[in-house]
Amino acid sequence: MDSTHKFGKYRVEREVLDEQRLEEVTQRKTYSDTHPSLIKHLKESLRCTVPKLKQSVVSSLPVLYWLPKYSVWDYGMPDLISGISVGIMHLPQGLAYALLASLPPVFGLYTSLYPALIYFFFGTSRHISIGTFTVLSIMVGSVTERLAPDMNFLIKNGTNITGDVNITSRDLYRVEVAAATTVLGGLIQVALGLVKFGFVGTYLSEPLVRAYTTAAAAHAVVAQLKHIFGVSPTRFSGPLSLVYTLKDVCSLLPHTNLSTLVVSAVSMVFLIAAKELNSYLSPKLPVPIPVELITIVAGTLISTYTHLNNNYTISVVGEVPSGLSSPSVPDVSIFREVIGDAFALAVVGYAVSISLGKTFALKHGYKVDSNQELVALGLSNAVGGFFQCFSVCSSMSRSLIQETTGGKTQMAGVASALIVLVTILKLGPLFQELPKAVLAAIVFVNLKGMFKQHSDIVTLWRSSKIDLVVWLVTWVSTLLLNLDLGLAASIIFALLTVTFRTQLPTYSVLGNVPGTELYVDIETHTEVREIPGVTIFRSSATVYFANADLYLEALKEKSGLDISKMIIYKRRQEAKQRRKERRAERRAKRQAKKESRAQRAGKQLSGAPVFFVEEEASRWRDTCVDGNVTDKEEQGLTKRENGTVFVIPNTPRTPDDPCRWEYLKGGEPDCTSLGWMSEQDGDTTTLGSSSEDTLSHDLERVSLGSLGKWTWDIHSIIIDLSTANFIDTVAIKTMKNIFQDFSEIDVDIYIAGCQASVVEQLERGDFFSESITKRHLFASIHDAVLYCLDHRGATSFPRYEPSVDTYISTQL
């Protein structure tokens, strides 16, 4: 409809668009047009064209996209310098983190080599460094020590079991377990990437990931205490394993190897001082000083020339084979025992990698494909597992080095892998005398950044209490339940907080900003005007099964109408009027029978005898009190005490005139005949009338206003669904009930701001009917307000305050 409306100083001269009219104007496509059938979709997806094939190959192998455009002059030297810097960091971290995984150090070097080469072909991030990572190393270590504990490899001397452990056999089996877990985790990542499940990483919020890595750092510290103090505690697994391990280490402190403790302390002091100096001089240095590498070289030289292992029984790395190992198929029988750990490794590794990758991509202006990253990381793990590698992901420290030293593309990863390859082939045996205490010290110092994340507690306390609770629950559950169960518990709790937040959204009533088509919360804005007679209701969250009931309760509260009580009262009044109608009908029938008997008796009697009919009168005691017909059960009135006397006329005045009973004694003075009138609750009843004339009130038109108990000035409610991105069947039923319930009290319901997808879901949910049409849906709140005012005859802003008498008269 074309209309002109005035809101304050703002005039609107346009057509008011409801959903039906909007579809006519815009010619919206049907659901079948926008959502092709499954067969048609399969045909389109299976159709092969040259551009489509090229795009598919390039998206699967991103190296084919950027490598032909690679400029050696622009990117060659920055990538080479960055790769050498990262490769130098790979060496100490690979050796140290292999100890976290409870594996021989050389397998840490393998893990720094093969996955980085695989990622070069399939990865889309230009700055992340794939290889060993603290958290994943700890998770792998918990699996290897659980399935290959020391007690399973004790050396037997005939029938006697000695206290010595067959380290060679134990390490070989642990490598098999780590490789099998890594391959299975990689296959899970590839499968998730192929089915476009890359968004799974979004369920790991930043507070959750930071709390998880902080708790994992505590696990890493406890795991390295045995190398720091030179003791051999029992390794526990499962819930509370951290507590048990820490307790066992504390009990062994009297047996500390002082030489090992001195080496650890000196290494940590040197590393901390060198890192602080490195940080201070970093603006003036082209590349960071390789502090860890210097520490490893110095430690190896000192240990070699002072014979720390023989003279002071300080544990060293031991044999480091030179050359590359041949690939081998992992033991698939182990898959069944490590599937839960593999899934946890897959999720955590992907979450860390994608978060770092998106951070650098946003900074340098390129795009990272989440699904392809999942595939690339999965292939890096799956292929690496065949070469005895353990689980990998991007490292925060190495990625920062690669980015800050000028790395431009994935070629920096190839350069770092070459540094590791040279070390494995030629320099590996030189690290045989390296004390494990030095590697443990490197782990300790590198965890400093993770321990600083405890400051998140203060930050989150100020910014978001819910995120703070997520952080604390994740931290506590990871510490106590171990890394795998802790991660599962953390994700479940984080999802529950989302559910609770959608269950308890903010509900508000909106008002108009003068001179605009804007509608904002009247409680938080002072200069807005409430539309007279119209309540505009909005929820800050989507309406769905978990909050549908709360939504309805909030609507009642904000509108000020307790719809449930009002409908119950109305239906009770309707039932009461129906009972009156039935009583009147019965009275009319009894009266007709009495008149018929009286007429027959008048023909037989010549006089006019007077007789008492107390029995007849007693039938009216519960219906005639103070001249009113009432319901004895509802009103609780007492029976009349006086008797009633009736006289039959001698002869009828005319042959066709029936004899009537005449009132002689008892009752009220204004009850002059049995045709007296009773008025109660707005209902007028004539006892001598027929059932059709008993009630002139149409029960279908009974309103609460006519009943006189409630009055209100709301004639329309507009529900703003602009915040809803979906609506389920429970919410659809709730909306139907809202329309039906409020219509019973003569309040119109309209919906505004529905997205096209929500309208389609309403259609498929059979929401629309003869009583609820698309005329009740409007493109905006403003359109709905204009319609309400026109529909109720209000062209401006008069206060809509119908009086009770006027409302009753319109209903009657």
Side-chain angles (χ1 to χ4, degrees):
M1 61 182 174
D2 295 320
S3 15
T4 301
H5 299 272
K6 186 176 181 181
F7 283 143
K9 299 180 180 178
Y10 185 78
R11 295 183 62 84
V12 179
E13 296 183 359
R14 62 173 176 82
E15 181 180 7
V16 176
L17 296 176
D18 54 40
E19 185 65 29
Q20 182 173 335
R21 180 58 182 155
L22 181 63
E23 291 181 1
E24 295 172 357
V25 172
T26 59
Q27 298 182 355
R28 185 170 69 89
K29 296 180 180 180
T30 62
Y31 178 79
S32 58
D33 294 332
T34 56
H35 296 79
S37 63
L38 179 61
I39 296 177
K40 185 177 180 180
H41 182 75
L42 287 175
K43 288 182 178 179
E44 291 293 331
S45 61
L46 295 176
R47 182 177 298 172
C48 183
T49 60
V50 175
K52 191 174 181 180
L53 178 62
K54 181 180 179 180
Q55 181 182 2
S56 177
V57 173
V58 170
S59 61
S60 299
L61 279 171
V63 67
L64 299 179
Y65 172 76
W66 62 267
L67 188 59
K69 305 176 182 179
Y70 186 81
S71 173
V72 178
W73 296 106
D74 295 334
Y75 302 146
M77 187 57 65
D79 283 342
L80 180 61
I81 295 174
S82 175
I84 294 174
S85 302
V86 174
I88 292 173
M89 288 190 66
H90 265 300
L91 300 179
Q93 289 187 0
L95 295 171
Y97 294 162
L99 295 182
L100 290 177
S102 298
L103 300 174
V106 68
F107 292 96
L109 297 179
Y110 295 157
T111 306
S112 301
L113 171 63
Y114 296 107
L117 296 176
I118 299 299
Y119 186 83
F120 168 80
F121 293 98
F122 298 96
T124 59
S125 175
R126 305 174 187 174
H127 294 91
I128 64 174
S129 173
I130 296 296
T132 57
F133 184 60
T134 312
V135 176
L136 296 190
S137 301
I138 301 168
M139 296 175 72
V140 172
S142 65
V143 179
T144 55
E145 295 205 6
R146 186 185 77 239
L147 297 183
D150 290 342
M151 63 181 65
N152 291 356
F153 298 92
L154 297 177
I155 299 175
K156 295 182 180 180
N157 186 8
T159 58
N160 297 325
I161 299 177
T162 64
D164 297 330
V165 178
N166 189 339
I167 297 177
T168 304
S169 300
R170 182 201 65 184
D171 288 346
L172 288 176
Y173 187 67
R174 285 183 176 180
V175 169
E176 291 184 11
V177 171
T181 306
T182 301
V183 170
L184 183 57
L187 294 177
I188 292 173
Q189 289 174 327
V190 172
L192 293 177
L194 292 177
V195 298
K196 308 300 181 183
F197 208 67
F199 66 89
V200 67
T202 60
Y203 288 102
L204 302 179
S205 63
E206 182 180 0
L208 188 150
V209 173
R210 289 176 67 87
Y212 185 79
T213 54
T214 303
H219 281 275
V221 167
V222 173
Q224 295 304 301
L225 288 178
K226 60 182 180 181
H227 300 299
I228 296 292
F229 294 100
V231 295
S232 300
T234 304
R235 181 64 183 262
F236 299 91
S237 61
L240 299 179
S241 61
L242 181 72
V243 177
Y244 297 143
T245 304
L246 186 60
K247 179 181 177 182
D248 196 19
V249 169
C250 292
S251 65
L252 294 174
L253 287 180
H255 305 284
T256 300
N257 187 325
L258 295 179
S259 302
T260 302
L261 182 61
V262 170
V263 171
S264 303
V266 171
S267 300
M268 281 190 282
V269 169
F270 175 76
L271 283 168
I272 293 173
K275 280 183 174 291
E276 291 298 325
L277 180 63
N278 200 7
S279 177
Y280 177 76
L281 297 176
S282 58
K284 303 178 181 179
L285 297 175
V287 294
I289 301 173
V291 178
E292 289 92 347
L293 183 62
I294 294 174
T295 305
I296 287 178
V297 172
T300 302
L301 293 175
I302 293 173
S303 176
T304 301
Y305 288 103
T306 59
H307 304 287
L308 295 179
N309 184 24
N310 296 328
N311 297 334
Y312 303 98
T313 64
I314 295 177
S315 179
V316 295
V317 169
E319 183 181 0
V320 178
S322 61
L324 300 175
S325 61
S326 59
S328 62
V329 179
D331 187 359
V332 295
S333 63
I334 302 176
F335 285 178
R336 181 175 54 85
E337 302 180 66
V338 299
I339 184 169
D341 304 281
F343 186 82
L345 285 164
V347 173
V348 173
Y350 172 68
V352 173
S353 297
I354 195 63
S355 60
L356 279 176
K358 287 186 175 181
T359 299
F360 291 125
L362 182 64
K363 180 178 180 180
H364 293 276
Y366 62 93
K367 185 179 179 181
V368 171
D369 188 342
S370 299
N371 294 310
Q372 183 59 30
E373 281 296 296
L374 197 52
V375 173
L377 191 61
L379 290 175
S380 298
N381 279 307
V383 176
F386 284 90
F387 292 92
Q388 293 81 47
C389 300
F390 53 91
S391 294
V392 298
C393 70
S394 61
S395 167
M396 298 180 186
S397 58
R398 292 195 307 271
S399 298
L400 286 172
I401 293 299
Q402 181 167 324
E403 191 261 346
T404 55
T405 53
K408 302 296 183 180
T409 66
Q410 291 91 320
M411 287 296 294
V414 176
S416 65
L418 291 177
I419 298 296
V420 176
L421 177 62
V422 172
T423 303
I424 294 174
L425 294 177
K426 300 296 182 181
L427 305 178
L430 299 178
F431 296 108
Q432 294 184 19
E433 294 298 321
L434 174 64
K436 290 184 179 180
V438 174
L439 296 178
I442 292 174
V443 172
F444 258 67
V445 175
N446 284 339
L447 292 175
K448 181 183 68 173
M450 290 188 181
F451 282 114
K452 284 184 177 180
Q453 293 177 163
H454 284 96
S455 62
D456 291 350
I457 297 176
V458 178
T459 303
L460 294 176
W461 173 262
R462 298 172 181 171
S463 59
S464 175
K465 300 297 189 298
I466 295 179
D467 286 339
L468 174 61
V469 173
V470 171
W471 197 100
L472 293 175
V473 169
T474 302
W475 185 77
V476 172
S477 61
T478 305
L479 284 179
L480 300 182
L481 301 180
N482 219 337
L483 296 172
D484 47 359
L485 295 179
L487 177 64
S490 304
I491 294 175
I492 292 173
F493 182 79
L495 294 179
L496 285 177
T497 61
V498 176
T499 303
F500 290 146
R501 283 192 241 189
T502 57
Q503 270 193 301
L504 301 173
T506 301
Y507 298 104
S508 55
V509 175
L510 308 184
N512 177 254
V513 179
T516 70
E517 294 188 10
L518 302 177
Y519 293 83
V520 295
D521 189 354
I522 60 176
E523 294 182 0
T524 58
H525 299 78
T526 57
E527 298 299 326
V528 299
R529 301 177 60 185
E530 189 173 359
I531 310 300
V534 180
T535 295
I536 306 171
F537 179 73
R538 172 186 288 172
S539 169
S540 61
T542 296
V543 188
Y544 70 113
F545 69 92
N547 62 7
D549 291 338
L550 299 176
Y551 185 89
L552 181 57
E553 293 299 322
L555 177 59
K556 295 177 186 177
E557 179 183 353
K558 293 293 184 179
S559 64
L561 302 177
D562 194 338
I563 189 69
S564 301
K565 290 184 178 180
M566 298 169 79
I567 291 176
I568 291 173
Y569 175 75
K570 176 185 174 184
R571 289 174 180 171
R572 285 180 178 174
Q573 295 299 320
E574 290 177 347
K576 183 177 179 180
Q577 291 174 354
R578 290 191 183 96
R579 289 196 298 270
K580 292 177 184 178
E581 186 180 36
R582 288 193 296 267
R583 286 198 301 269
E585 185 177 357
R586 289 195 298 268
R587 286 193 293 268
K589 290 181 180 179
R590 287 197 297 268
Q591 180 66 21
K593 290 180 181 179
K594 291 176 184 178
E595 291 178 354
S596 177
R597 288 196 300 268
Q599 187 176 7
R600 289 195 300 271
K603 293 179 181 179
Q604 297 174 359
L605 300 177
S606 57
V610 177
F611 60 92
F612 291 87
V613 283
E614 294 294 335
E615 296 80 7
E616 296 293 333
S618 62
R619 300 177 183 177
W620 305 97
R621 286 175 181 170
D622 57 342
T623 58
C624 184
V625 176
D626 295 331
N628 292 326
V629 174
T630 184
D631 189 341
K632 182 178 65 177
E633 296 178 356
E634 291 184 0
Q635 303 295 338
L637 301 177
T638 59
K639 295 184 179 180
R640 294 174 54 182
E641 298 295 332
N642 59 322
T644 305
V645 179
F646 296 90
V647 177
I648 299 177
N650 291 330
T651 56
R653 288 188 292 269
T654 62
D656 297 331
D657 188 14
C659 295
R660 299 181 65 85
W661 299 83
E662 291 186 1
Y663 175 82
L664 294 183
K665 179 185 176 184
E668 298 298 327
D670 59 346
C671 293
T672 57
S673 69
L674 290 180
W676 52 272
M677 306 293 287
S678 171
E679 182 173 339
Q680 178 181 343
D681 293 321
D683 179 34
T684 302
T685 305
T686 303
L687 294 180
S689 63
S690 63
S691 61
E692 289 78 11
D693 297 331
T694 302
L695 295 174
S696 60
H697 214 316
D698 184 3
L699 293 178
E700 297 299 327
R701 299 180 59 192
V702 171
S703 68
L704 287 166
S706 66
L707 297 175
K709 185 170 184 177
W710 279 286
T711 57
W712 59 94
D713 58 358
I714 297 175
H715 58 74
S716 302
I717 294 178
I718 299 173
I719 298 175
D720 179 17
L721 288 185
S722 59
T723 59
N725 59 346
F726 73 94
I727 187 167
D728 60 8
T729 56
V730 176
I732 291 176
K733 291 180 181 178
T734 300
M735 290 296 171
K736 282 185 178 180
N737 292 337
I738 290 173
F739 272 84
Q740 294 170 359
D741 292 347
F742 280 90
S743 66
E744 291 200 34
I745 62 171
D746 198 32
V747 174
D748 298 329
I749 302 293
Y750 303 97
I751 297 177
C754 277
Q755 300 182 35
S757 59
V758 175
V759 176
E760 292 175 355
Q761 291 165 5
L762 290 173
E763 291 176 342
R764 297 197 300 271
D766 295 328
F767 174 74
F768 300 105
S769 60
E770 293 182 0
S771 59
I772 307 175
T773 67
K774 288 188 177 181
R775 293 291 185 185
H776 291 86
L777 270 67
F778 290 87
S780 67
I781 298 176
H782 197 61
D783 286 304
V785 170
L786 297 180
Y787 179 83
C788 290
L789 297 180
D790 272 348
H791 183 61
R792 290 288 180 164
T795 56
S796 59
F797 279 109
R799 185 66 179 171
Y800 183 82
E801 293 177 335
S803 64
V804 177
D805 296 335
T806 303
Y807 195 69
I808 292 175
S809 63
T810 58
Q811 294 298 316
L812 295 177

